[in-house]
Amino acid sequence: MSERIAICPGSFDPVTLGHLDIIQRASALFDKVIVLVSVNVKKTPSFTPDERVEMIKKVTPHLKNVEVETSDGLLANFVKEKGATAIVKGLRAVTDFEYEFQMALANKKLCPEAETVFLITKSENMYLSSSVVKQIASFGGDIDGFVPPEIKDIIADRLVNNKT
Ligand code: PNS
């Protein structure tokens, strides 16, 4: 049987422990997982795509079937280009659902050969998001327990006193 490839797309601005949990669980389910740092037109990022890729690479060296890439194009095109059969996303509260549902339907239309697979977040990550992390860091708060320890200082140093 051919290799089963999944794409795990997101803004990852920055990657959180919630994202890392989803990436780890996806890596156990698929032969290969490509974490894709992508563009969300509704968000203004604090980190460049390359910085976000580097942070994800720093926290995933133990996951041998995980690769990290960036793209500024359509997710559906990237999925086709890689021959992936799944798009993996984490689902937190019900508030995520409508938005994720809309994206999953659009992606299914654009790329019928791939399924969107939702992994339910761990309960402790239910209210964790990159924007919460950025807000805490910008006020000089402790982001321990929100982001992987390897990238904590990079995030804190960049965001402290930066409340934009
Ligand atoms: O972490 P996010 O911000 O919820 O991720 C959203 C993201 C980046 C995966 C989404 O905006 C996306 O797929 N962007 C790439 C462009 C695209 O394909 N847009 C149409 C989605 S239906």
Side-chain angles (χ1 to χ4, degrees):
M1 209 163 84
S2 60
E3 194 182 36
R4 293 220 171 255
I5 303 171
I7 309 297
C8 198
S11 308
F12 303 109
D13 186 53
V15 63
T16 67
L17 285 174
H19 294 131
L20 184 57
D21 172 55
I22 298 296
I23 295 167
Q24 270 167 191
R25 287 158 61 194
S27 92
L29 288 172
F30 294 91
D31 298 317
K32 178 163 141 185
V33 172
I34 304 173
V35 180
L36 181 68
V37 173
S38 194
V39 179
N40 182 336
V41 289
K42 294 194 181 132
K43 294 181 181 170
T44 309
S46 302
F47 296 91
T48 66
D50 287 345
E51 286 172 331
R52 287 178 262 160
V53 166
E54 280 316 304
M55 284 191 275
I56 300 168
K57 284 186 175 168
K58 243 187 161 71
V59 301
T60 54
H62 58 297
L63 302 172
K64 301 300 175 208
N65 62 343
V66 170
E67 293 174 9
V68 193
E69 291 195 33
T70 179
S71 156
D72 57 7
L74 262 187
L75 172 61
N77 290 347
F78 187 87
V79 170
K80 282 185 189 167
E81 194 185 298
K82 298 291 174 182
T85 51
I87 298 167
V88 176
K89 296 226 66 184
L91 207 54
R92 292 166 302 186
V94 226
T95 43
D96 282 347
F97 191 75
E98 185 137 347
Y99 163 70
E100 294 294 350
F101 197 85
Q102 202 175 27
M103 282 205 294
L105 289 179
N107 285 323
K108 187 71 187 163
K109 213 168 177 92
L110 294 168
C111 180
E113 50 274 45
E115 298 295 340
T116 297
V117 175
F118 291 111
L119 298 182
I120 304 298
T121 188
K122 274 185 179 169
S123 54
E124 59 262 44
N125 295 329
M126 187 97 170
Y127 295 102
L128 176 53
S129 68
S130 297
S131 53
V132 162
V133 167
K134 289 200 278 188
Q135 198 171 143
I136 296 170
S138 69
F139 284 94
D142 188 0
I143 53 171
D144 245 0
F146 294 88
V147 298
E150 302 91 318
I151 57 168
K152 187 189 143 186
D153 290 343
I154 303 172
I155 299 166
D157 291 349
R158 166 67 63 86
L159 295 172
V160 71
N161 295 327
N162 182 357
K163 299 188 183 60
T164 52

